[in-house]
Amino acid sequence: MSATASAAAPSRDDFAAMLEESFENHDVAEGSVVQGTVTAIEKDMAVIDVGLKTEGRVALKEFGAGGRDAPLKVGDVVEVYLERVENALGEAVLSRDKARREESWVKLEVAFNDNQKVEGVIFNQVKGGFTVDLQGATAFLPRSQVDIRPVRDVGPLMGTPQPFQILKMDRRRGNIVVSRRTVLEESRAEMRQELVQNLEEGQVIEGVVKNITDYGAFVDLGGIDGLLHVTDIAWRRVNHPTELLQIGQQVKVKIIKINHETHRISLGMKQLLDDPWQGIEAKYPAGAKFTGRVTNITDYGAFVELEPGIEGLIHVSEMSWTKKNVHPGKIVATSQEVDVMVLEVDPVKRRISLGLKQVMQNPWEAFLEQHPVGSEVEGEVKNKTEFGLFLGLDGDVDGMVHLSDLDWNRPGEVMIEEFKKGDIVRAQVLDVDVEKERISLGVKQLGGDPFVDTTGEMRKGSVVTCEVIEVKDGGLEVKIVDTELTAFIRRADLARERADQRPERFAVGEKFDARVTQFDKKAHKIAVSIKALEIAEEKEAVATYGSSDSGASLGDILGAALKKREEGSED
């Protein structure tokens, strides 16, 4: 080794000094923000010297984060985040984004804890909302927090510095949620509070229609909105506010109500006009007929406009005499002119009940005029029920034939099976109840009443000949000779003497005379009695052949009566 080489070699002290200098240059630690100088710009990367004898590279786009244009040039001093002192390539791992984020997070945490607003810039749209640059930290702005009302176009809001309220922060996860809506609501609340103090109920004020919905219109009163409900736009029915209003239209309104707690203001336009309901009872008296226009149809009826601002309801039950379960839309149509009758007027509730069927003739009255009781009609079988037939008649009314009016002799339950829907049936009108809207018909009445036809001059007290058709323990079932009538003679009516009141004394086919004790043509009931005949004959015999003072015995009197009867039979 030469003397020159030996002199150039560093001593132990020199090496220690160099090592100490190296440590002094390493006073920055990984995971912290350090200052560096831009030494070169290569394509899309900036070469930055942070004093570590090595350089690091940072993408130029990191210096324009958040949508802000930040031109960079050689010699600029910038703050960067030191992730690693040296990587596999011998370069420092730096990040401008993380440096800005670290710096911003400290300020944002203070603002969040103090409930202060922060300034940011909306720079990108993501799923469910937008991203906001809060001076280095990226926050999420939900779409619902952009404005008080939904905003269709957010373009004008992007790239513009504006205040935000931090709703949530999580430094460990790096999440920040902000709201622009909260800031607007606070400023609006302050403004509304001031404006509401200058307004009072009953005041007439001008405003501009700001927004229109199905239920009304929002009117800007100069910084505060009031709701003009659809029912307060005009006295007449307004189906949708757009019929009378449009956005941007200037309107004069009256303040109806102010809620100082919620700052809600109710407005009205019709209140500036005369109330058409004043004196309504005199103008539309009950029972009077008017012509109106159908404005709305519901399941329960139809609304008819009698004049602008005055509407009445035709309930579904007052629409037709005969169509009971039909939707009102099948009877009347919207905008149709109809004649109606006023049924009731309630000025307090602002209701008018109208009737449509009342201006037409009652079909049951018309039927009774054309088909009086006793006349014959013809109708189609509309329905069969357990109690009779329903026939469709003239005037779109129905009549009922009860089971008991189908046949004189056969049971109604059997007779009804001979009819089916669609059959044309002739019947006689038995009764028409206009009030109850009922028509009673009879089929068996067309052929006459066999009870009346066969009984002739028979009446209560008449003597008839009976033929035994059945012997029972309780009496006899008999048939009146020369008729189709049957009757039942009870045991007590078989004889005057108790010993002779035995049904077994008689045989089927045996004939005898009896006296009619009950005769009801309408109910078709007849009752006969042998006992009654014996008592009647006895009285007649006593009256004819003897008296109380003649001295003749009852046997003598009855013997004479029987002899007289036998002689009459021989003659």
Side-chain angles (χ1 to χ4, degrees):
M1 180 179 296
S2 63
T4 304
S6 176
S11 64
R12 183 182 297 272
D13 293 338
D14 293 337
F15 183 78
M18 293 172 60
L19 183 61
E20 183 178 352
E21 182 184 355
S22 174
F23 279 118
E24 288 177 357
N25 291 334
H26 283 74
D27 60 348
V28 292
E30 292 181 351
S32 63
V33 177
V34 298
Q35 285 190 342
T37 304
V38 179
T39 58
I41 296 179
E42 301 174 353
K43 294 184 179 180
D44 58 348
M45 302 293 288
V47 181
I48 301 174
D49 180 10
V50 291
L52 298 176
K53 302 301 182 183
T54 56
E55 298 174 331
R57 297 174 182 271
V58 179
L60 289 176
K61 65 181 182 179
E62 291 192 25
F63 291 90
R68 290 185 288 191
D69 187 16
L72 199 65
K73 60 183 183 295
V74 176
D76 286 349
V77 177
V78 295
E79 289 186 341
V80 291
Y81 182 82
L82 178 61
E83 296 187 43
R84 293 173 60 187
V85 174
E86 189 176 356
N87 62 9
L89 300 176
E91 296 179 344
V93 180
L94 308 175
S95 171
R96 172 60 183 161
D97 282 345
K98 291 186 178 180
R100 294 173 66 246
R101 190 178 302 119
E102 286 294 319
E103 180 183 356
S104 181
W105 266 93
V106 175
K107 297 179 181 178
L108 293 176
E109 284 181 334
V110 174
F112 177 65
N113 292 330
D114 295 341
N115 198 28
Q116 297 178 351
K117 300 176 181 61
V118 296
E119 189 176 88
V121 177
I122 302 174
F123 68 90
N124 193 20
Q125 182 172 342
V126 295
K127 183 178 180 181
F130 305 88
T131 51
V132 180
D133 176 28
L134 301 178
Q135 299 177 355
T138 301
F140 174 64
L141 174 64
R143 187 175 295 276
S144 61
Q145 296 297 322
V146 174
D147 206 327
I148 297 174
R149 293 190 179 91
V151 178
R152 295 182 180 179
D153 183 14
V154 191
L157 301 178
M158 299 186 72
T160 304
Q162 50 195 314
F164 294 90
Q165 185 76 42
I166 300 176
L167 301 180
K168 182 180 179 183
M169 288 188 71
D170 190 339
R171 186 162 188 171
R172 184 173 61 85
R173 296 183 179 181
N175 292 338
I176 304 177
V177 180
V178 296
S179 170
R180 179 174 174 270
R181 175 178 178 174
T182 303
V183 177
L184 296 177
E185 286 178 342
E186 288 182 3
S187 60
R188 189 180 74 161
E190 295 174 359
M191 184 183 299
R192 288 171 68 95
Q193 179 69 29
E194 182 179 351
L195 291 173
V196 168
Q197 297 300 328
N198 299 324
L199 298 176
E200 58 183 15
E201 295 181 1
Q203 180 180 349
V204 179
I205 188 172
E206 289 190 351
V208 178
V209 178
K210 185 177 180 180
N211 190 25
I212 295 178
T213 67
D214 291 339
Y215 54 85
F218 288 93
V219 179
D220 184 1
L221 303 177
I224 187 170
D225 292 347
L227 174 61
L228 175 60
H229 197 269
V230 63
T231 57
D232 290 313
I233 295 177
W235 289 108
R236 70 175 181 85
R237 175 180 292 274
V238 179
N239 294 317
H240 197 275
T242 53
E243 294 178 10
L244 298 174
L245 301 174
Q246 58 184 0
I247 295 177
Q249 178 181 346
Q250 188 166 355
V251 293
K252 183 180 288 186
V253 293
K254 184 175 183 179
I255 299 177
I256 302 174
K257 186 177 181 181
I258 299 177
N259 189 323
H260 291 278
E261 294 182 1
T262 61
H263 294 168
R264 290 182 179 177
I265 302 175
S266 299
L267 307 174
M269 285 178 61
K270 71 179 185 181
Q271 286 77 5
L272 299 175
L273 306 174
D274 293 334
D275 187 354
W277 283 87
Q278 291 181 353
I280 196 70
E281 289 179 295
K283 195 172 184 180
Y284 295 98
K289 297 179 181 179
F290 297 91
T291 300
R293 181 178 62 89
V294 178
T295 57
N296 191 29
I297 297 176
T298 66
D299 292 337
Y300 54 85
F303 288 91
V304 175
E305 184 182 58
L306 301 175
E307 66 172 82
I310 300 296
E311 283 188 348
L313 172 66
I314 308 175
H315 192 267
V316 63
S317 62
E318 305 295 345
M319 286 196 153
S320 174
W321 289 106
T322 56
K323 298 175 182 177
K324 302 297 185 182
N325 298 316
V326 178
H327 191 275
K330 294 186 177 181
I331 300 176
V332 295
T334 305
S335 300
Q336 178 183 344
E337 296 284 337
V338 293
D339 292 329
V340 293
M341 177 182 287
V342 177
L343 304 181
E344 183 182 0
V345 178
D346 189 337
V348 177
K349 295 183 178 179
R350 294 176 178 263
R351 294 177 181 174
I352 298 179
S353 299
L354 303 174
L356 183 63
K357 68 182 184 182
Q358 284 78 3
V359 298
M360 309 173 189
Q361 185 180 14
N362 187 323
W364 283 272
E365 291 180 351
F367 181 86
L368 183 58
E369 292 177 3
Q370 299 176 9
H371 306 283
V373 175
S375 61
E376 294 183 11
V377 293
E378 196 174 73
E380 179 183 347
V381 177
K382 296 290 187 180
N383 194 20
K384 291 170 59 177
T385 66
E386 60 183 9
F387 47 81
L389 293 176
F390 283 91
L391 305 183
L393 306 172
D394 295 340
D396 204 20
V397 295
D398 291 342
M400 190 192 79
V401 182
H402 194 270
L403 291 177
S404 60
D405 290 315
L406 288 174
D407 193 86
W408 292 107
N409 300 315
R410 299 171 61 188
E413 294 79 2
V414 177
M415 282 297 300
I416 198 171
E417 297 302 324
E418 296 184 3
F419 299 91
K420 61 182 182 296
K421 285 186 178 181
D423 287 351
I424 302 299
V425 178
R426 290 176 62 251
Q428 185 180 97
V429 179
L430 303 181
D431 182 50
V432 178
D433 191 328
V434 175
E435 185 177 346
K436 294 183 179 180
E437 299 180 354
R438 294 177 183 173
I439 299 175
S440 298
L441 305 174
V443 173
K444 69 181 184 181
Q445 286 80 0
L446 293 174
D449 189 344
F451 186 89
V452 176
D453 296 342
T454 58
T455 53
E457 298 297 325
M458 188 182 300
R459 61 183 181 277
K460 183 178 180 180
S462 299
V463 177
V464 295
T465 302
C466 302
E467 180 180 351
V468 179
I469 55 178
E470 186 178 358
V471 178
K472 298 181 179 180
D473 293 338
L476 302 177
E477 190 75 35
V478 299
K479 177 177 177 294
I480 309 301
V481 177
D482 297 330
T483 71
E484 296 296 326
L485 306 178
T486 59
F488 182 75
I489 305 177
R490 299 176 303 166
R491 175 189 289 268
D493 289 320
L494 291 178
R496 180 177 179 181
E497 299 297 331
R498 189 176 187 83
D500 296 330
Q501 294 176 353
R502 293 176 291 106
E504 58 269 19
R505 290 176 47 232
F506 300 87
V508 175
E510 183 178 347
K511 296 180 180 180
F512 54 82
D513 290 342
R515 184 182 177 89
V516 177
T517 56
Q518 181 184 4
F519 187 74
D520 189 340
K521 288 186 178 181
K522 188 174 182 179
H524 287 197
K525 288 184 178 180
I526 184 171
V528 295
S529 170
I530 300 175
K531 176 180 177 181
L533 178 61
E534 291 178 346
I535 294 175
E537 289 179 342
E538 179 179 314
K539 289 181 178 180
E540 182 182 354
V542 170
T544 305
Y545 300 102
S547 62
S548 58
D549 56 357
S550 63
S553 65
L554 181 59
D556 296 336
I557 295 172
L558 291 179
L562 289 175
K563 184 177 180 181
K564 178 71 174 178
R565 185 176 179 182
E566 289 175 359
E567 291 176 352
S569 298
E570 291 176 358
D571 293 341

